[in-house]
Amino acid sequence: MKKTILMSKILLLSILFLTSCESKVKKSEYIKLQKELSECKKQVEELQNTPSNRLLNAQEFISKEDFKKAKIELNLLIDKFRDTPEAQKGELLLQKIEKDEKIRKENEERKKTLGFKILKEKSTVVIDNITLKFKSVKASKQWTFDNDKYDYYKYRDAERSNIFVLANVSVTSKVKQSKIPLISVYKLINGQLKLYGTMKREFLYDYGNSTDADFKYVSTVVFAQALEISKSTLDKTAIFVVVKNTNCSRYEYGYYLDANPKGCNIKSTLTVDDFDKDYSLIKILNKERL
């Protein structure tokens, strides 16, 4: 009610103020009207800044990750309306923001100090409806796949002076049709990871027919994946096996096609920050070179 009365008063004063500008009035009356209008506007602003409004504003800033403005709003809430339930909630939110800021600052300092050593290897990665479980990641001269029940298998040998980076991984899908992620290999150069290439895929087991390895019929398939690299590169630098957290590799006629890394927007250069959300580290080979 008070707010409605003030708004009406502002409207009336605005009319009088504008009228006074168009007609001859005493300067003292003009200044008085101008002052009263300004005071009324301030009172309306104060009425709009209720504890609940300030708390809502702060929560909106938090949702947008604008913590600087959120802290300003929460501090005003606590100072002006200290004994209200909203102020008590505001204090808890402010404590959480400050705690999170401290953790972020500590993590940033650790990143600067440790670099890629701060990263933790993962054997399981969940990306939307897809779960990857890495059974082994290693380097070898031979890439074996298509194992059958009689213990026969197919294999490829790396060229002279080369070696395979290998990964045996099971892929489980919650849905009948899905894209799956690529597995990439990076090498450490001058404090950054440079993309060496993406792994090729072969089915690890001889499934008999394509339906045995099709998510429309089974929930899990197993791949033997490999990328051939220079052995001298592995000897001289740390090699990172990495998954980008997106399902982008195409599926056609019961087979998973190796996708172009550009089509999956895989970065050619990675920093430590890229592993906060977008990429997952699976394995570091030659870790002593970090």
Side-chain angles (χ1 to χ4, degrees), residues 73-86:
E73 197 70 30
L74 289 170
N75 280 316
L76 286 170
L77 168 63
I78 294 164
D79 288 342
K80 281 181 168 288
F81 309 100
R82 183 166 296 278
D83 296 326
T84 63
E86 289 84 358

Side-chain angles (χ1 to χ4, degrees), residues 236-253:
K236 293 176 182 177
T237 186
I239 296 294
F240 288 64
V241 178
V242 172
V243 171
K244 184 180 180 183
N245 299 330
T246 182
N247 298 317
C248 63
S249 188
R250 294 177 295 128
Y251 173 82
E252 292 179 10
Y253 307 113

Side-chain angles (χ1 to χ4, degrees), residues 19-66:
T19 304
S20 69
C21 292
E22 295 175 358
S23 59
K24 294 182 178 180
V25 295
K26 290 182 180 180
K27 186 176 180 180
S28 59
E29 289 295 324
Y30 175 83
I31 293 171
K32 183 182 177 183
L33 282 171
Q34 191 178 40
K35 187 176 179 182
E36 286 183 17
L37 182 61
S38 178
E39 288 296 322
C40 284
K41 286 180 177 179
K42 285 181 181 178
Q43 289 181 48
V44 170
E45 287 175 3
E46 284 299 318
L47 286 172
Q48 288 175 333
N49 287 326
T50 61
S52 57
N53 280 344
R54 285 203 178 275
L55 184 60
L56 285 172
N57 289 340
Q59 289 170 331
E60 187 175 348
F61 287 134
I62 291 170
S63 69
K64 295 177 181 177
E65 296 188 357
D66 191 341

Side-chain angles (χ1 to χ4, degrees), residues 23-144:
S23 59
K24 294 182 178 180
V25 295
K26 290 182 180 180
K27 186 176 180 180
S28 59
E29 289 295 324
Y30 175 83
I31 293 171
K32 183 182 177 183
L33 282 171
Q34 191 178 40
K35 187 176 179 182
E36 286 183 17
L37 182 61
S38 178
E39 288 296 322
C40 284
K41 286 180 177 179
K42 285 181 181 178
Q43 289 181 48
V44 170
E45 287 175 3
E46 284 299 318
L47 286 172
Q48 288 175 333
N49 287 326
T50 61
S52 57
N53 280 344
R54 285 203 178 275
L55 184 60
L56 285 172
N57 289 340
Q59 289 170 331
E60 187 175 348
F61 287 134
I62 291 170
S63 69
K64 295 177 181 177
E65 296 188 357
D66 191 341
F67 300 112
K68 184 177 180 180
K69 288 183 179 178
K71 285 168 68 177
I72 292 171
E73 197 70 30
L74 289 170
N75 280 316
L76 286 170
L77 168 63
I78 294 164
D79 288 342
K80 281 181 168 288
F81 309 100
R82 183 166 296 278
D83 296 326
T84 63
E86 289 84 358
Q88 293 171 6
K89 290 179 183 178
E91 286 180 346
L92 293 175
L93 284 174
L94 190 60
Q95 289 172 14
K96 186 178 186 307
I97 290 172
E98 290 173 345
K99 182 180 179 181
D100 291 344
E101 283 180 338
K102 183 180 178 182
I103 292 171
R104 281 196 295 272
K105 187 176 179 181
E106 289 173 352
N107 286 338
E108 289 300 320
E109 290 299 322
R110 289 181 68 220
K111 282 181 185 179
K112 290 177 184 177
T113 304
L114 299 174
F116 289 104
K117 291 179 182 178
I118 196 174
L119 301 178
K120 293 182 179 179
E121 298 174 339
K122 297 179 180 179
S123 60
T124 300
V125 179
V126 179
I127 306 169
D128 298 326
N129 56 278
I130 291 294
T131 299
L132 303 179
K133 289 187 177 180
F134 288 82
K135 298 184 176 183
S136 66
V137 180
K138 62 183 181 180
S140 176
K141 284 290 290 181
Q142 193 174 85
W143 175 20
T144 62

Side-chain angles (χ1 to χ4, degrees), residues 167-181:
N168 286 353
V169 55
S170 69
V171 183
T172 301
S173 176
K174 291 181 180 179
V175 297
K176 290 183 178 181
Q177 285 186 305
S178 177
K179 293 181 178 181
I180 62 177

